[in-house]
């Protein structure tokens, strides 16, 4: 059966073709103006899910980057405080050597002891360093200064660990405590820096030959031991900073590759879409034109 | 026996009348060329019974049958019942697919994904807020940041849950509206029943009630969008209409059986609405998937807030933030710098809540995609059948113009025959017997 064609058939078919050409044109236009090929999940359900996952990964990386930068700033603060304490130890060593040179009178030793006490004070002050309002060497008691000024040498912080997430599922401890280096003073007799400095000052004041001998021997040894603890801590801080910087580079690489993957998943290929848009536009115009001329035609035009 | 003198006039007259009737039918067709549901009509012509002349031949006395012209037997509409049945079946499938695509599309729209303001972004913001809090646990602004992000997240989940429930409620309400006392089904069915009766009476008295038949077919087309329709025509012209999977026929003669229960297997819009709103339907499935997203979130976050839960509720509809910035625990009590709990929550990023959400979006997307593909397919089928139906029943103005010319000429020719007869009679009446006058 051959189809009988009526004007209504033609009108319906023409409208259908025009509508479908227009739909396609509109779709391309939205893709062009949004720059996306996935405008709603049904356009590509798997791709939409993947785009959401990738976007979440990207957001995570941005957050890890913030963490890393925070951690580097924290670690640098701690590291520079350790540097200052290192200077204190160097200076203390010079003073001890001066005291044991054998040319000092009682009053000279007294002066040196006073200097030693000032150095103790500045070691405590140096360890009270803050980053963004948090004491960085107090463990998790970040609102408490590790040491108070004056004769009292007890450590007020704790041994709590503070960590940062620097990659998915990877955390790194960024804090060290002042107690490891400074200890709890002469009363605790723990051989840590404050104990050593206080003991040295005491021996200087005693100024007996035995005391001076101890200064030259044990005390200097303790000071050297403290210095090596400091070097260890500085080394620890340095390696943490290295690790953080490597993590930052890694994050940048991941960001680049994840952005590329996300773009491949959800972004429209603009060159292709623009070309398709032009060809759809031509198709739409052709449909309009053909429709307009075929609908106009009728036998009535030719009857008198 | 010879031919009656005035027989020729009668024969010419029958030609005039028949051609005139055919012109009228063509005019009716042209007038209704754009009328929805109209089937083109045609005047069925038939040769009039012949006049038997017993002995015409003067040589052998043989008789003859003399034609007496033409008559219009009936005016019938041109329509293919097979195409109607096909159209109705495809129309039901289209109604079902497009209703599904529409309602599921509404849910997909509510998801607002992929975008920079959908739930996935809010989840991300929430985890980042925890991560920022882990960086500065005693910072009041960071604590408020977590609370704000949590509240945004909870309210988006609440809204999504409400939107899915609304879609389901609207589906039920639409079903009720269509099947209710003032709904389309009852209205159409009652009109069909009354048309059945009128058609029976008209056909009983030998008429072709074309406009009634057209109207009945149009109503059946309309019903077929709502649910699968099948019809059986009775001998008296009445139609029995089965509707969806209702137990009794919707229309039986002039009786309407409605309301009746339908199930989701009824097809058409009604079947789709029932299956969408069903407790095992896609909307209920979406809601429970969304509840799983919320439950996973609530459970994993609260597990790391041992003293004061962060979220209350256990579904997407009931989730709410029940803590304050000051109550958030970042680590053990009394250690303002401790951040292990905040870190733990920040590390939930990319975990079950995010994964369930993206899987949910994929699931909804696939549902909408396949519903739309079904719709496009069904639409193509309906268009194809409708085109063939139009090809049979549609009015072609070109064709009608040709008919007009044909019958106009036929009319003119019949008039010319009449003139010829008249002139012959004039010769007989006016001029015969006047020789030599």
């Amino acid at each position: 059966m051959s189809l009988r064609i009526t004007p209504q058939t033609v009108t319906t078919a023409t409208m259908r073709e025009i509508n479908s050409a227009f739909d396609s044109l509109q779709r391309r236009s939205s893709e062009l103006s949004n720059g996306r090929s996935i405008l709603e999940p049904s356009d590509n359900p798997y791709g939409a899910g993947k785009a959401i996952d990738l976007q979440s990964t990207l957001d995570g990386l941005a957050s890890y980057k913030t963490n890393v930068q925070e951690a580097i700033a924290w670690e640098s603060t701690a590291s520079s405080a350790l540097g200052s304490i290192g200077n204190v130890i160097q200076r203390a060593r010079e003073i001890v050597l001066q005291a044991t040179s054998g040319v000092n009178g009682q009053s000279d030793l007294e002066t040196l002891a006073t200097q030693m006490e000032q150095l103790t004070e500045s070691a405590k002050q140096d360890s009270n360093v803050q980053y963004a309002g948090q004491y960085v060497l107090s463990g998790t008691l970040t609102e408490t200064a590790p040491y108070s000024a004056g004769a009292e040498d007890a450590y007020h912080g704790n041994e709590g660990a503070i960590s940062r997430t620097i990659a998915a599922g990877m955390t790194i401890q960024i804090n060290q405590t002042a107690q490891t280096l400074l200890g709890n003073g002469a009363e605790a007799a723990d051989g840590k820096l404050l104990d050593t400095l206080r003991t040295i000052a005491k021996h200087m004041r005693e100024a007996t030959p035995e005391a001076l001998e101890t200064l030259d021997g044990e005390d200097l040894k303790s000071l050297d031991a403290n210095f090596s603890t400091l070097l260890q801590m500085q080394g620890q801080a340095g390696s943490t900073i290295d690790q953080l910087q490597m993590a930052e580079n890694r994050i940048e690489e991941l960001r680049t590759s994840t952005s590329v993957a996300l773009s491949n998943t959800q972004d429209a290929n603009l060159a292709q879409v623009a070309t398709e848009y032009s060809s759809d536009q031509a198709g739409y115009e052709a449909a309009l034109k053909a429709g307009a001329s075929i609908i106009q035609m009728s036998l009535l035009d030719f009857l008198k | 026996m010879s031919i009656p003198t005035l027989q020729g006039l009668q024969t010419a007259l029958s030609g005039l009348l028949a051609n005139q009737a055919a012109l009228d039918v063509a005019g009716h067709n042209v007038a209704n060329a754009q009328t929805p549901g109209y089937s083109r009509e045609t005047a069925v012509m038939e040769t009039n019974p012949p006049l038997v002349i017993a002995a015409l031949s003067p040589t052998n006395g043989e008789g003859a049958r003399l034609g007496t012209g033409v008559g219009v037997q009936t005016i019938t509409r041109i329509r293919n019942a097979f195409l109607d049945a096909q159209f109705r079946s495809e129309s039901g499938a289209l109604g079902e697919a497009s209703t599904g695509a529409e309602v599921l599309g509404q849910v997909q729209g509510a998801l607002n994904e992929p975008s920079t303001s959908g739930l996935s972004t809010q989840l991300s913001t929430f985890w980042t807020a925890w991560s920022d809090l882990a960086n500065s646990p005693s910072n009041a602004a960071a604590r408020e940041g977590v609370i704000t992000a949590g509240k945004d997240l909870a309210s988006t989940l609440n809204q999504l849950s409400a939107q899915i429930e609304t879609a389901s409620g609207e589906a039920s309400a639409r079903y009720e509206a269509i099947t209710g006392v003032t709904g389309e089904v009852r209205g159409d069915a009652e009109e069909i029943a009354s048309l059945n009766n009128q058609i029976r009476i008209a056909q009983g008295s030998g008429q072709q009630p074309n406009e009634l038949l057209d109207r009945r077919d149009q109503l059946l087309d309309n019903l077929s969008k709502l649910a699968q329709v099948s019809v059986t025509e009775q001998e008296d012209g009445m139609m029995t209409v089965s509707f969806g999977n209702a137990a009794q026929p919707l229309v039986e003669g002039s009786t309407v059986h409605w309301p009746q229960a339908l199930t989701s297997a009824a097809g058409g819009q009604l079947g789709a609405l029932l299956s969408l709103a069903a407790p095992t339907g896609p909307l209920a499935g979406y809601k429970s998937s969304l509840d799983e997203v919320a439950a996973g979130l609530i459970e994993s976050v609260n597990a790391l807030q041992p003293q004061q839960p962060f979220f209350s509720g256990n579904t997407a509809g009931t989730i709410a933030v029940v803590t304050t910035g000051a109550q958030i625990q970042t680590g053990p009590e009394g250690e303002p710098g401790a951040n292990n709990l905040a870190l733990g929550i920040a590390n939930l990023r990319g975990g079950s809540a995010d994964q369930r959400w993206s899987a949910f979006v994929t699931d909804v997307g696939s549902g909408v995609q396949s519903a739309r593909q079904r719709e496009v397919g069904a639409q193509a089928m309906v268009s194809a059948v409708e085109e063939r139906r139009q090809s049979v029943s549609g009015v072609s103005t070109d064709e009608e113009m040709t008919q007009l010319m044909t019958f106009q000429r036929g009319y003119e020719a019949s008039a010319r025959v009449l003139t010829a007869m008249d002139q012959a009679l004039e010769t007989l009446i006016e001029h015969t017997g006047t020789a030599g006058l």
Side-chain angles (χ1 to χ4, degrees):
Chain A
M1 174 175 96
S2 75
L3 280 182
R4 235 180 109 249
I5 308 293
T6 70
Q8 258 192 348
T9 323
V10 176
T11 312
T12 319
T14 309
M15 282 315 293
R16 198 172 56 235
E17 274 149 28
I18 291 178
N19 282 339
S20 109
F22 190 62
D23 266 0
S24 164
L25 194 63
Q26 201 185 20
R27 166 82 207 172
R28 303 271 175 256
S29 160
S30 306
E31 284 186 18
L32 276 181
S33 55
N34 285 293
R36 298 262 178 91
S37 63
I38 301 176
L39 300 174
E40 36 183 18
S42 58
D43 293 339
N44 177 355
Y46 170 71
K50 194 173 154 199
I52 289 173
D53 290 343
L54 287 171
Q55 184 60 54
S56 157
T57 307
L58 267 185
D59 292 343
L61 290 172
S63 163
Y64 301 147
K65 186 165 178 172
T66 313
N67 297 349
V68 165
Q69 286 168 341
E70 279 271 306
I72 290 178
W74 172 291
E75 205 63 58
S76 306
T77 309
S79 184
S80 79
L82 290 173
S84 304
I85 298 175
N87 292 338
V88 166
I89 298 177
Q90 295 281 10
R91 181 80 190 112
R93 199 181 152 79
E94 285 162 20
I95 293 172
V96 170
L97 290 178
Q98 205 182 334
T100 53
S101 64
V103 295
N104 300 299
Q106 178 73 35
S107 66
D108 292 333
L109 285 172
E110 195 68 38
T111 314
L112 291 176
T114 311
Q115 278 187 24
M116 197 54 89
E117 270 152 13
Q118 280 166 356
L119 283 177
T120 314
E121 242 356 82
S122 50
K124 279 161 66 170
Q125 254 170 35
D126 286 338
S127 70
N128 287 352
V129 65
Q130 280 182 304
Y131 170 72
Q134 305 174 66
Y135 290 99
V136 300
L137 297 171
S138 287
T140 54
L141 301 183
T142 51
E143 289 177 345
T144 314
Y147 293 100
S148 38
E152 200 248 288
D153 285 341
Y155 172 66
H156 299 304
N158 65 7
E159 286 297 315
I162 293 175
S163 303
R164 295 279 181 266
T165 304
I166 57 168
M170 183 175 166
T171 54
I172 177 171
Q173 184 177 348
I174 56 162
N175 72 324
Q176 303 187 70
T177 58
Q179 182 173 230
T180 317
L181 179 61
L182 273 65
N184 287 296
E187 278 166 36
D190 50 13
K192 300 280 172 70
L193 184 60
L194 293 181
D195 179 26
T196 311
L197 295 177
R198 296 282 184 206
T199 312
I200 289 172
K202 197 183 92 188
H203 288 155
M204 285 176 172
R205 287 226 161 79
E206 283 170 5
T208 57
E210 296 81 27
L212 287 179
E213 201 175 310
T214 322
L215 265 184
D216 198 15
E218 270 178 45
D219 289 350
L220 210 51
K221 248 190 231 164
S222 306
L223 205 53
D224 287 346
N226 295 150
F227 193 65
S228 89
T229 308
L230 173 93
L231 287 180
Q232 236 172 32
M233 285 176 77
Q234 274 186 317
Q236 172 71 36
S239 90
T240 307
I241 289 179
D242 277 355
Q243 219 177 331
L244 289 168
Q245 274 165 349
M246 267 161 61
E248 192 173 5
N249 292 340
R250 178 95 191 104
I251 288 169
E252 277 311 312
E253 282 167 22
L254 279 174
R255 261 173 102 154
T256 311
S257 62
T258 312
S259 299
V260 170
L262 179 62
S263 169
N264 286 341
T265 309
Q266 69 172 13
D267 287 357
N269 179 344
L270 288 184
Q272 191 189 338
V273 176
T275 314
E276 283 167 354
Y277 181 79
S278 305
S279 94
D280 281 352
Q281 202 171 19
Y284 180 54
E285 278 169 18
L288 281 179
K289 201 160 183 176
S293 53
I294 197 168
I295 288 172
Q296 267 179 5
M297 259 193 310
S298 159
L299 182 59
L300 287 166
D301 299 336
F302 305 100
L303 293 176
K304 279 191 283 182
Chain B
M1 174 124 192
S2 62
I3 298 167
T5 316
L6 298 180
Q7 179 57 42
L9 285 178
Q10 287 303 323
T11 305
L13 177 63
S14 79
L16 277 179
L17 291 176
N19 279 302
Q20 193 182 4
L23 280 172
D24 286 343
V25 170
H28 184 55
N29 281 341
V30 171
N32 283 296
Q34 306 297 330
T35 309
Y38 179 74
S39 315
R40 70 189 164 110
E41 292 176 8
T42 181
V44 180
M45 308 240 190
E46 200 181 38
T47 317
N48 277 347
L51 188 66
V52 179
I53 300 161
L56 183 66
S57 167
T59 47
N60 58 10
E62 276 180 10
R65 295 163 78 90
L66 177 69
T68 60
V70 66
V72 173
Q73 184 210 5
T74 181
I75 297 170
T76 185
R77 61 180 195 142
I78 298 178
R79 193 149 181 127
N80 182 336
F82 173 69
L83 286 177
D84 280 340
Q86 218 179 339
F87 177 84
R88 284 169 199 148
S89 147
E90 299 301 344
S91 165
L94 176 61
E96 186 168 15
S98 63
T99 304
E102 184 194 333
V103 174
L104 297 185
Q106 202 180 329
V107 174
Q108 172 173 272
L111 298 187
N112 193 17
E113 289 284 4
S115 79
T116 50
S117 51
L119 191 77
S120 63
T121 310
Q122 288 181 335
L123 275 169
S124 234
T125 310
F126 183 63
W127 305 134
T128 301
W130 277 103
S131 177
D132 290 343
L133 178 61
N135 287 342
S136 26
S138 47
N139 185 326
R143 287 171 176 269
E144 281 317 308
V146 168
I147 296 289
T148 309
K151 282 184 175 163
D152 286 350
L153 196 53
S155 87
T156 302
L157 282 166
N158 296 159
Q159 280 172 20
L160 280 171
S161 169
Q163 272 160 327
I164 294 176
E165 270 176 21
T166 307
S168 169
E170 276 174 4
S172 304
R174 267 169 73 182
Y175 177 83
E176 292 305 326
I178 294 172
T179 55
V181 186
T182 56
E184 266 180 84
V185 177
R186 170 160 230 128
D188 287 355
E190 279 176 353
E191 199 176 339
I192 291 173
S194 121
L195 285 168
N196 265 347
N197 211 23
Q198 295 175 47
I199 288 167
R200 180 180 57 83
I201 294 167
Q203 289 191 348
S205 54
Q207 296 159 14
Q208 274 285 330
N210 291 331
E211 69 290 345
L212 301 180
L213 295 170
D214 276 353
R215 176 66 189 150
R216 188 171 66 182
D217 281 332
Q218 209 184 353
L219 290 167
L220 288 169
D221 285 355
N222 192 41
L223 278 180
S224 73
K225 285 181 207 141
L226 303 177
Q228 287 296 350
V229 160
S230 67
V231 295
T232 332
E233 190 161 5
Q234 310 297 332
E235 271 179 30
D236 55 5
M238 304 230 270
M239 251 176 194
T240 304
V241 181
S242 329
F243 186 65
N245 52 0
Q248 276 182 292
L250 175 63
V251 182
E252 203 172 12
S254 52
T255 318
V256 172
H257 300 289
W258 193 256
Q260 292 188 67
L262 296 178
T263 71
S264 54
Q269 281 181 22
L270 294 175
L273 291 172
L274 282 175
S275 80
L276 283 167
T280 53
L283 292 177
Y286 289 163
K287 188 158 180 301
S288 77
S289 298
L290 190 66
D291 284 345
E292 273 174 34
V293 173
L297 181 71
I298 295 166
E299 204 173 308
S300 55
V301 171
N302 283 355
L304 290 162
Q305 288 291 298
Q307 286 189 353
Q308 164 66 40
F310 189 86
F311 289 119
S312 66
N314 48 16
T315 60
T318 53
I319 183 172
V321 173
V322 286
T323 186
T324 60
Q327 283 176 302
I328 292 175
Q329 271 185 285
T330 55
E333 185 97 39
E335 297 181 23
N339 65 356
N340 55 332
L341 294 178
L343 268 188
I345 295 178
N347 288 345
L348 295 173
R349 181 196 294 278
S352 71
D354 293 65
Q355 285 166 11
R356 282 177 187 172
W357 173 253
S358 75
F360 175 55
V361 171
T362 304
D363 187 28
V364 174
S366 313
V368 175
Q369 190 185 41
S370 67
R372 288 196 179 152
Q373 279 165 356
R374 278 201 303 277
E375 186 185 11
V376 169
Q379 181 65 61
M381 293 302 292
V382 167
S383 299
V385 179
E386 176 60 15
E387 201 163 291
R388 288 174 59 198
R389 215 158 65 142
Q390 270 298 319
S391 157
V392 172
S393 302
V395 177
S396 158
T397 39
D398 291 351
E399 201 176 67
E400 299 304 329
M401 287 304 119
T402 315
Q403 299 279 39
L404 274 180
M405 288 193 299
T406 312
F407 293 120
Q408 198 180 358
R409 290 295 176 201
Y411 188 87
E412 284 170 14
S414 297
R416 181 53 57 92
V417 173
L418 202 59
T419 309
M421 287 294 168
D422 185 42
Q423 281 171 352
L425 286 172
E426 188 188 5
T427 308
L428 180 69
I429 295 163
E430 297 289 328
H431 305 294
T432 310
T434 57
L437 278 180

